[in-house]
Amino acid sequence: MTAPAVWVENISKKFDRVKAVDRVSFAVQKGELFGIIGPDGAGKTTLIRILTTLLLPDEGKATVAGYDVISSYKKVRHLIGYMPGRFSLYQDLSVEENLEFYATVFGTTISENYELVRDIYKHLEPFKNRLAGKLSGGMKQKLALSCALIHKPELLFLDEPTTGVDAISRIEFWDMLKRLKKRGISIIVSTPYMDEALRCDRVALMQEGRFLDIDEPEKIIGKYDKKLYSIHTTEPYLLMENLRENVDIQSVIPFGDHVHFTTRKDVEIDPGDLQEALIAKGFKDIAVKIIKPGIEDCFMDLMNIEPQ
Amino acid sequence: MTDDGSNIIVVKDLVKKFGTFTANDKLTFEVRKGEIFGFLGANGAGKTTALRILCGLSRPTSGFVHVAGFDVSRHPEEIKKRIGYMSQKFSLYEDLTVEENFTFYGGIYGLSRKQIKEQTNFLLENLKFHKSKEILIRALPLGWKQKLAFSVAIMHRPKVVFLDEPTGGVDPVTRRQFWKMIYDTASSGITVFVTTHYMDEAEYCERISIMVDGRIKALDTPASLKQRFNAINIEEVFLKIARN
């Protein structure tokens, strides 16, 4: 039997009085693409730093590829690739020098594992003599990923690789992760973007140091137990004020050009009736529907806080 | 360029070059008073460069840029007095309390003690935060910091407030509370100029512009853009424009 890629039991870590990670347990299987989804301050970075042997937990036990992150930290470091949230390559070395440096530290060469990084590094090759500090955000991200991969790790830890990255580069980055997964690399990735959950095999939804849920994204969506209504509108704020006056309606949340709402317990609203009522009140281009929730709906439901 | 007084920002043929690199290539647009204007674009498209010029922090290579009635090349200091600015990176002083931050920034903006007190109370009450004004900023979660930073950025009642990715990394509930604040601010007469990578937030803007490679490739209401690009949402519009 082979060990899981990551195995965590009851890990906690406090900073002063703040519980950054609070009794978290989970396992990641080999070859899995596992997402830790949550806002800033949820504890994602602390958890990843514990698993990458850069921080000691206050309590609990964790193994990576079967090795204890405390007693076998040197072994773990050889098996993993890590891309921190903050760009931390050498700004005053060139693109190629950075990659060469990381290969050398791990006792290998660029040419030995070039195949693994080729897809990503080929975008950088025209700029291989440029200093890393002079690269654009998207290129820094690709270089950091190349450096994390150059020693052919079994596991990859990526801490918020898409934060502050535009919508297109985000899609491209997740496509890259999918290709790496196909090569059998286990990937643990954190992100504050809820929609990225759908790109993972399984996700943990994290908030204030705890996992709210951990499952396949579709199963998390399946567990949402309320009827969710959505209204397309060109005037979301006006519509929300109107809906909040309706005693049958519980939560009202804007989603771009839609407003999502749920009803009080045991109350059902007929979408057609509501649509007519809203049109009678003067709303134009209104369409009321019952919809399947997205991960962001689920996350807010699990947070159990009402937006004001 | 005619300005009938209904625009708070007027930009015509703005060019900004760094050496041979053109970061802003003939940008032309207006922002109306009281509008929520979304300024979108891929990383490296030139948004930050333009934003710095609009705030009076950098001079255009050529072109006409008026903000709050002043020319950025000739009167940047007058502009700075009339605008507010916040970003995820530049926020409040961590080792000062909530109230001390308001007092400090109020002083910088040249408000009287009385005005500072009034504005601090008014804004903190809006946030339902007036009971916690002795708390150090450092002890607050990011979402609260961002809401307070926004309040500080408008405490001198600027003509226009620039928000640079104000909701990056913020939890989904707070993100929406933040947009409620943006709406309230705009309806109180302060123009809001905002950048974001969340495409659902782009839908909340009255008009948005999308920049690609230093140029504005599209500028309109979200509804018109979706119609013109035959897209179901702004994310799709964005992908269609930026990939071409």
Side-chain angles (χ1 to χ4, degrees), chain A residues 250-261:
Chain A
Q250 186 159 25
S251 74
V252 181
I253 301 173
F255 273 79
D257 60 351
H258 289 73
V259 171
H260 293 184
F261 72 89

Side-chain angles (χ1 to χ4, degrees), chain A residues 20 62 106 108 118 130 143 157 165 227 239 246 249 263 268 271 278 284 289-290 302:
Chain A
F106 284 98
T108 182
R118 189 180 54 207
R130 190 177 290 188
L143 179 59
F157 288 91
V165 172
K227 198 169 259 184
L239 177 64
N246 186 329
I249 290 175
T263 53
E268 282 204 26
L278 289 169
K284 291 179 201 113
K289 275 189 223 162
I290 294 170
L302 291 164

Side-chain angles (χ1 to χ4, degrees), chain A residues 140-161:
Chain A
K140 279 181 179 167
Q141 181 203 40
K142 289 191 175 84
L143 179 59
L145 184 59
S146 300
C147 290
L149 279 170
I150 196 62
H151 62 294
K152 213 174 179 184
E154 285 183 24
L155 286 100
L156 202 51
F157 288 91
L158 309 167
D159 193 6
E160 295 204 22

Side-chain angles (χ1 to χ4, degrees), chain A residues 46-291:
Chain A
T46 304
L47 182 58
I48 287 179
R49 289 178 61 84
I50 290 169
L51 295 176
T52 50
T53 79
L54 300 169
L55 201 61
L56 294 173
D58 296 334
E59 55 182 337
K61 199 170 152 48
T63 66
V64 168
Y67 296 96
D68 189 283
V69 293
I70 301 171
S71 59
S72 306
Y73 71 96
K74 282 189 180 165
K75 189 75 191 164
V76 170
R77 286 182 189 179
H78 267 275
L79 295 173
I80 64 170
Y82 169 51
M83 183 173 156
R86 188 175 292 188
F87 182 71
S88 43
L89 300 178
Y90 294 91
Q91 314 251 1
D92 49 354
L93 293 185
S94 72
V95 167
E96 194 175 32
E97 284 166 342
N98 264 294
L99 192 61
E100 211 164 81
F101 174 78
Y102 280 90
T104 312
V105 164
F106 284 98
T108 182
T109 58
I110 295 180
S111 55
E112 197 170 334
N113 294 324
Y114 185 73
E115 227 252 286
L116 189 61
V117 298
R118 189 180 54 207
D119 258 6
I120 305 156
Y121 191 69
K122 69 171 183 225
H123 301 283
L124 293 166
E125 256 175 342
F127 313 99
K128 65 181 181 184
N129 295 319
R130 190 177 290 188
L131 294 185
K134 302 269 181 207
L135 294 176
S136 72
M139 291 211 278
K140 279 181 179 167
Q141 181 203 40
K142 289 191 175 84
L143 179 59
L145 184 59
S146 300
C147 290
L149 279 170
I150 196 62
H151 62 294
K152 213 174 179 184
E154 285 183 24
L155 286 100
L156 202 51
F157 288 91
L158 309 167
D159 193 6
E160 295 204 22
T162 54
T163 291
V165 172
D166 68 68
I168 295 173
S169 308
R170 279 169 54 197
I171 291 172
E172 287 170 359
F173 194 83
W174 281 94
D175 290 341
M176 266 179 331
L177 293 190
K178 203 169 159 187
R179 289 194 290 272
L180 290 171
K181 178 189 144 67
K182 280 197 183 133
R183 291 164 169 269
I185 299 176
S186 315
I187 302 170
I188 291 93
V189 56
S190 72
T191 177
Y193 292 104
M194 303 283 149
D195 56 335
E196 294 181 350
L198 299 173
R199 308 287 308 250
C200 304
D201 297 326
R202 280 193 311 140
V203 294
L205 303 184
M206 194 172 193
Q207 167 83 351
E208 292 178 351
R210 310 288 302 261
F211 281 180
L212 302 171
D213 198 2
I214 167 167
D215 214 329
E216 292 165 31
E218 281 301 323
K219 286 191 178 156
I220 290 177
I221 288 167
K223 283 183 233 173
Y224 186 91
D225 60 356
K226 300 181 184 86
K227 198 169 259 184
L228 185 66
Y229 299 79
S230 169
I231 309 183
H232 174 269
T233 174
T234 49
E235 303 159 298
Y237 278 82
L238 207 59
L239 177 64
M240 280 165 59
E241 275 174 27
N242 206 284
L243 294 174
R244 287 200 176 108
E245 287 165 11
N246 186 329
V247 290
D248 292 336
I249 290 175
Q250 186 159 25
S251 74
V252 181
I253 301 173
F255 273 79
D257 60 351
H258 289 73
V259 171
H260 293 184
F261 72 89
T262 58
T263 53
R264 302 215 180 274
K265 208 170 186 309
D266 303 322
V267 177
E268 282 204 26
I269 287 178
D270 181 78
D273 291 351
L274 181 63
Q275 185 165 322
E276 272 178 36
L278 289 169
I279 290 169
K281 280 180 185 168
F283 284 98
K284 291 179 201 113
D285 292 329
I286 284 272
V288 186
K289 275 189 223 162
I290 294 170
I291 57 155

Side-chain angles (χ1 to χ4, degrees), chain A residues 38-41 44 136-138 160 163-172 175 192-195 207 232-234 236-237 241 244 253-258 296 299-300 303 305-308, chain B residues 41-44 47 88 126-128 142 147 165 168-181 183-184 197-201 203-204 223 226 232-233 235 238-243:
Chain A
D40 282 9
K44 306 184 300 291
S136 72
E160 295 204 22
T163 291
V165 172
D166 68 68
I168 295 173
S169 308
R170 279 169 54 197
I171 291 172
E172 287 170 359
D175 290 341
Y193 292 104
M194 303 283 149
D195 56 335
Q207 167 83 351
H232 174 269
T233 174
T234 49
Y237 278 82
E241 275 174 27
R244 287 200 176 108
I253 301 173
F255 273 79
D257 60 351
H258 289 73
E296 199 161 3
F299 194 96
M300 282 191 271
M303 278 173 77
I305 304 170
E306 291 277 302
Q308 67 181 25
Chain B
N43 299 111
K47 295 193 301 291
Q88 199 189 352
N126 274 351
L127 288 176
K128 300 187 182 76
L142 175 80
K147 286 192 276 188
E165 285 185 46
V170 172
D171 74 69
V173 171
T174 311
R175 202 152 76 74
R176 287 169 172 83
Q177 291 169 346
F178 198 94
W179 272 89
K180 173 78 167 49
M181 285 179 75
Y183 262 76
D184 293 343
H197 285 309
Y198 289 100
M199 291 299 126
D200 59 332
E201 295 184 348
E203 309 262 7
Y204 306 145
K226 281 182 279 187
I232 54 160
N233 53 33
E235 172 152 21
F238 187 83
L239 296 181
K240 281 184 173 170
I241 291 175
R243 275 194 170 145

Side-chain angles (χ1 to χ4, degrees), chain B residues 41-133:
Chain B
N43 299 111
K47 295 193 301 291
T48 305
T49 301
L51 201 60
R52 286 178 54 81
I53 291 170
L54 292 173
C55 291
L57 299 172
S58 156
R59 308 283 166 267
T61 306
S62 65
F64 175 92
V65 182
H66 261 216
V67 177
F70 290 91
D71 186 307
V72 287
S73 298
R74 286 186 290 158
H75 303 291
E77 297 311 315
E78 293 301 322
I79 289 172
K80 286 179 199 168
K81 282 184 211 163
R82 289 166 177 81
I83 63 169
Y85 172 80
M86 81 158 279
S87 78
Q88 199 189 352
K89 281 163 209 136
F90 177 71
S91 192
L92 304 171
Y93 287 91
E94 297 270 314
D95 48 356
L96 294 183
T97 66
V98 171
E99 191 176 25
E100 284 165 348
N101 267 285
F102 276 86
T103 308
F104 175 76
Y105 280 104
I108 298 263
Y109 292 134
L111 303 187
S112 69
R113 274 170 201 236
K114 186 164 165 273
Q115 285 172 318
I116 290 176
K117 205 169 177 186
E118 279 170 6
Q119 279 296 77
T120 304
N121 287 338
F122 172 73
L123 292 162
L124 288 179
E125 263 168 45
N126 274 351
L127 288 176
K128 300 187 182 76
F129 207 75
H130 46 290
K131 284 185 187 134
S132 314
K133 55 189 181 188

